[in-house]
Amino acid sequence: MGILEDKSNARLFYKYLSKVYDRINRFNWNEEMRAEALSWLEFGDDPTVLDVGCGTGFGTEGLLEHADDVHGLDQSVHQMEKAFEKFGKHDRVNFYRGDAERLPFRDDAFDVVWSSGSIEYWPNPVEGLRELRRVAKPGGQVLVVGPDYPHNPILQRVADAIMLFYDADEADRMFEAAGYEEFEHHIQRATPQSPRAITTVARVPGSDEGVDGSAAGAEESASTAPDAE
């Protein structure tokens, strides 16, 4: 397990990274990559959308182009404060502080679940992927962006020491173990010199016919959500 897969280490890391995150993030994950990833999703009419590991709200901003009912969750209050500056605490987005591996939402709550730049910090990524599937409606979509495993042996050793990096074979294993049956992987890259991202789009098993759900309440929520448990 890499050093940043420890949740307390990750929170401390983002306490300081949040100050410059938006400036440096564009070299790894930019608006063009975000737009391409969004094009692989089917939002339908009046979708309810969750951004897991929303951070400063870069992915959230793209989701707002396709949905009005958007919810964002992150474990780092420092990252979320940057998102509050963009969207307000209670205005365009409902924000929650919480854990991706223990999502504080009821089953079948969202049409689309998005998570970009978060899975690499999860100590148990399969459990996190199960949670994304649980809160997504049957027939809905889950999109996950993570760092592709480097080919260079030296970089591999560095990657393994820091956080989770994975290739398409490992992504297959994780998504299958988490109960997904239909998914596809895409490799994205900001520039030829940038690290590669592996973006997986998965269909949640089952049919969404007759399902009516919206986001439920959350522990440590930054705003009041509908249908609180």
Side-chain angles (χ1 to χ4, degrees):
M1 178 182 292
I3 188 172
L4 292 182
E5 290 175 85
D6 179 280
K7 293 176 184 178
S8 61
N9 289 342
R11 284 193 295 269
L12 180 62
F13 175 71
Y14 271 110
K15 177 180 179 179
Y16 299 101
L17 185 64
S18 63
K19 302 177 188 300
V20 296
Y21 182 83
D22 284 339
R23 292 199 296 273
I24 66 174
N25 185 50
R26 69 188 66 176
F27 299 106
N28 298 321
W29 177 243
N30 59 28
E31 292 181 0
E32 290 77 15
M33 296 167 71
R34 182 184 67 189
E36 183 179 37
L38 287 164
S39 74
W40 297 324
L41 294 172
E42 302 163 7
F43 287 93
D45 297 328
D46 301 319
T48 302
V49 177
L50 174 64
D51 184 359
V52 176
C54 63
T56 64
F58 182 75
T60 314
E61 186 176 15
L63 292 167
L64 284 167
E65 298 173 1
H66 299 268
D68 294 324
D69 189 2
V70 177
H71 303 254
L73 175 142
D74 203 277
Q75 70 160 342
S76 169
V77 67
H78 302 284
Q79 288 280 83
M80 292 173 66
E81 285 172 351
K82 298 296 182 181
F84 298 159
E85 293 174 6
K86 299 174 184 177
F87 311 115
K89 279 190 177 182
H90 310 288
D91 298 332
R92 300 183 67 196
V93 180
N94 294 306
F95 285 106
Y96 316 85
R97 185 180 179 193
D99 188 336
E101 296 174 6
R102 297 177 59 192
L103 292 175
F105 307 104
R106 63 181 176 83
D107 296 356
D108 307 338
F110 300 96
D111 298 288
V112 171
V113 178
W114 167 287
S115 183
S116 53
S118 181
I119 188 174
E120 56 263 41
Y121 302 105
W122 302 351
N124 188 341
V126 171
E127 184 60 34
L129 293 174
R130 286 195 188 106
E131 279 289 274
L132 303 192
R133 179 173 62 84
R134 179 185 66 78
V135 302
K137 295 179 182 179
Q141 288 178 291
V142 169
L143 183 145
V144 176
V145 184
D148 188 46
Y149 198 60
H151 298 305
N152 183 294
I154 296 175
L155 293 179
Q156 288 175 356
R157 289 196 291 272
V158 173
D160 291 340
I162 298 174
M163 57 190 182
L164 175 68
F165 286 73
Y166 58 94
D167 59 13
D169 288 341
E170 179 63 9
D172 284 346
R173 186 197 69 78
M174 292 191 299
F175 275 82
E176 288 170 359
Y180 296 88
E181 300 170 0
E182 179 185 346
F183 50 84
E184 58 185 18
H185 312 304
H186 306 265
I187 298 299
Q188 296 184 277
R189 205 171 194 179
T191 71
Q193 292 74 40
S194 300
R196 296 185 308 271
I198 180 167
T199 300
T200 302
V201 183
R203 182 76 62 181
V204 177
S207 171
D208 59 357
E209 184 177 349
V211 176
D212 180 17
S214 58
E219 298 172 357
E220 298 184 275
S221 72
S223 65
T224 302
D227 301 329
E229 295 179 329

